[in-house]
């Protein structure tokens, strides 16, 4: 890997992690590696193997190539649109990415219906709690 690419990767790893307010120790724990090793990746003194880069991208819900992007604005934009994912989020995202555009539309309609239903149910529970306190 070229030195400037290695520096870019290091900066993007740090930018992504700090944008989510996660410490190196927290991220290293999620990746099941030592914090000092992760610190070497962010400093550019070591390069993560491809499997770890994939895991980092998957964990943050971003495309892998964004880790090597030269434009900090692109990294910031991608980071702001993502969140640290748990396994169920990643599973749903994986399924969604393999759907046809038509199926994605149907899924979004169903998801919006479920979101509305959850909100109504929560509002009803809150209203019930308020009346029972009186």
């Amino acid at each position: 890997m070229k030195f400037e690419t290695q520096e870019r990767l290091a900066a993007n790893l740090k930018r992504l992690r700090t944008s989510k307010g996660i410490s190196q120790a927290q991220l290293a724990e999620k990746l099941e590696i030592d914090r000092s090793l992760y610190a070497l990746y962010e400093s550019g003194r070591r390069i993560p193997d491809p499997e770890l880069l994939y895991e980092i991208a998957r964990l943050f819900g971003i495309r892998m190539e964004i880790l090597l992007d030269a434009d900090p604005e692109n990294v910031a934009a991608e980071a702001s649109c993502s969140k640290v994912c748990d396994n169920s989020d990643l599973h749903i995202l994986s399924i969604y990415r393999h759907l046809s555009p038509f199926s994605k539309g149907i899924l979004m309609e169903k998801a919006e219906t479920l979101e509305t239903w959850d909100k109504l149910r929560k509002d009803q529970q809150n209203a019930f709690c308020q009346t029972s306190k009186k």
Side-chain angles (χ1 to χ4, degrees):
M1 183 178 287
K2 292 180 182 177
F3 182 70
E4 59 268 7
T5 305
Q6 189 172 335
E7 285 184 320
R8 188 177 330 127
L9 172 63
N12 288 343
L13 287 172
K14 184 173 183 175
R15 187 174 291 113
L16 183 61
R17 178 185 58 77
T18 58
S19 74
K20 300 300 180 187
I22 299 171
S23 70
Q24 285 183 343
Q26 291 169 318
L27 184 54
E29 183 179 324
K30 287 182 181 288
L31 296 170
E32 299 178 353
I33 61 172
D34 192 68
R35 188 211 58 83
S36 60
L37 177 59
Y38 184 80
L40 291 173
Y41 298 148
E42 279 193 11
S43 69
R45 292 186 292 195
R46 288 210 44 193
I47 303 168
D49 62 37
E51 290 85 8
L52 188 60
L53 287 175
Y54 173 79
E55 190 60 33
I56 291 169
R58 193 175 79 84
L59 182 67
F60 283 101
I62 63 169
R63 296 171 292 124
M64 231 176 112
E65 61 266 20
I66 207 72
L67 294 173
L68 299 174
D69 200 301
D71 186 354
E73 299 280 327
N74 290 341
V75 178
E78 185 98 5
S80 70
C81 293
S82 69
K83 69 177 187 85
V84 178
C85 298
D86 62 23
N87 285 338
S88 62
D89 293 337
L90 294 171
H91 182 68
I92 289 170
L93 185 57
S94 173
I95 292 169
Y96 180 82
R97 287 181 174 160
H98 290 95
L99 294 175
S100 69
F102 178 78
S103 294
K104 286 179 180 177
I106 291 172
L107 180 60
M108 291 306 296
E109 288 174 2
K110 299 243 184 240
E112 289 167 355
T113 300
L114 289 170
E115 181 183 37
T116 301
W117 185 83
D118 280 349
K119 185 181 179 325
L120 288 172
R121 187 164 181 240
K122 184 178 179 182
D123 290 347
Q124 289 172 346
Q125 287 174 341
N126 289 340
F128 177 76
C129 290
Q130 293 297 326
T131 56
S132 63
K133 286 182 182 178
K134 292 180 182 180

